[in-house]
Amino acid sequence: MNSLPQLNVLKCILSVRKTKTERFDVYFYEILSPAGVVSFRTVLSPNGEDSDRGAIVRSESVNFLLYAEQLLEDGALEEPPIPSNKLEELEMLLIEVLAPGEARQVLDREDSYIKTLEESVRREILARLGYRVTAYLHVERCDPESLAPFIREAGADAPGEPGSTEPLSFLVPCAPVIDPVKGTPVASLNQGDLVLLRLPEDETAPVREKLQRADPAFDGIVKGEVVSVHQDRHGGFTLLVHLSDEFKGVVSLEGNSRLRTEAASKKALTLADATKPAEKAEEHAPSAATVAQSSEGDPAWLYGLVLGSMVALIAILLLLRFIG
């Protein structure tokens, strides 16, 4: 775990008002690196009317994460206040709004940006899911070693073990490559479809660095496989896209958008191309054995014909010299 850069922990509690009398809490956290989202968790909680959510969200990061994990271990609520698909939509929305850049803003501007970000969360949830919420947020820098038990592949059920060598999955916010004429409607996309995405402009992003090393002319467009498609109540979509074992992309777009797919451009790189550029070159280069086999395959009669022609030419030249 020492190889990981310094990590930020974003803690969030949502007090959700479903009806005038029915409320529930959502506990959410993200572990963030400069590359994107390392790990996250979303847990429903029985409403704690007497709890001070502001104090809880400001508690030490490890304690907050342990509490969220304990809520999960205690088991699902007998009557979940929202269906699982709505919880997934909420989770994707939080990942989108609470991006690594927003967490850095909070840290750089201390607490002056917290209220702005809490209001953004409240507004987006109301507009896209129809729930009235009060958001409580806090961001802290944290020692990667202390976070090791909570780092898992993004979205996995079980946390990793300290010292685990399993590859981490970073969520990278991407922009769709829109093609209003030949593109595929977002509503028609299915799991496994290949779409073209534009990576963030940040030149220091690891995923972008890999692709630029593979192709110095890389223009920021990469090909990815659709993992899931989520539609909100207002017709917008959020896509989760597999880029590699290490990176996944998250894309938000309007319901009438048409995305450029693999068929529209064969030049788009994949992360597999970037990680094995030498092997790709070897695949297209003829091997010594192939050249030897080609030489061995030349017919013998061709050599005989060339030799016979040369002998006949020499004989004719000698005859003309003798006659002269």
Side-chain angles (χ1 to χ4, degrees), residues 137-290:
L137 298 173
H138 194 60
V139 181
E140 291 178 351
R141 290 191 174 94
C142 204
D143 175 18
E145 291 290 342
S146 64
L147 298 176
F150 307 99
I151 292 178
R152 65 182 66 80
E153 183 175 352
D157 291 334
E161 294 296 330
S164 172
T165 58
E166 290 296 318
L168 302 178
S169 182
F170 298 93
L171 280 179
V172 181
C174 300
V177 177
I178 300 297
D179 188 339
V181 179
K182 298 182 179 179
T184 301
V186 61
S188 300
L189 292 174
N190 296 300
Q191 183 177 1
D193 288 345
L194 297 175
V195 296
L196 302 187
L197 308 174
R198 189 178 300 279
L199 294 176
E201 296 295 333
D202 184 2
E203 296 294 335
T204 62
V207 60
R208 196 178 183 96
E209 287 182 354
K210 286 187 177 183
L211 291 168
Q212 286 177 327
R213 284 198 299 267
D215 180 5
F218 174 59
D219 61 359
I221 296 176
V222 66
K223 181 170 61 181
E225 180 181 343
V226 174
V227 175
S228 62
V229 181
H230 296 279
Q231 183 177 19
D232 62 40
R233 61 181 296 180
H234 299 284
F237 286 84
T238 301
L239 303 183
L240 183 63
V241 179
H242 178 86
L243 301 175
S244 74
D245 290 339
E246 187 180 4
F247 296 97
K248 289 182 175 61
V250 61
V251 190
S252 296
L253 59 168
E254 296 178 355
N256 59 354
S257 302
R258 301 176 72 96
L259 279 73
R260 189 174 299 173
T261 58
E262 180 189 24
S265 174
K266 294 295 184 181
K267 296 181 180 180
L269 284 175
T270 65
L271 283 176
D273 296 330
T275 53
K276 299 183 179 179
E279 293 180 13
K280 288 288 180 182
E282 291 173 2
E283 288 177 6
H284 294 90
S287 64
T290 302

Side-chain angles (χ1 to χ4, degrees), residues 90-151:
L90 175 61
E91 185 173 70
M92 296 303 293
L93 186 153
L94 290 173
I95 291 171
E96 175 192 340
V97 176
L98 303 176
E102 300 296 336
R104 288 196 297 270
Q105 286 255 46
V106 171
L107 291 169
D108 293 342
R109 297 162 63 175
E110 297 181 347
D111 286 344
S112 62
Y113 191 64
I114 280 285
K115 295 301 180 184
T116 300
L117 194 55
E118 289 175 343
E119 176 60 21
S120 295
V121 171
R122 185 200 67 78
R123 186 174 58 249
E124 289 297 321
I125 292 176
L126 178 60
R128 292 160 60 174
L129 296 178
Y131 295 133
R132 297 183 179 276
V133 306
T134 302
Y136 303 86
L137 298 173
H138 194 60
V139 181
E140 291 178 351
R141 290 191 174 94
C142 204
D143 175 18
E145 291 290 342
S146 64
L147 298 176
F150 307 99
I151 292 178

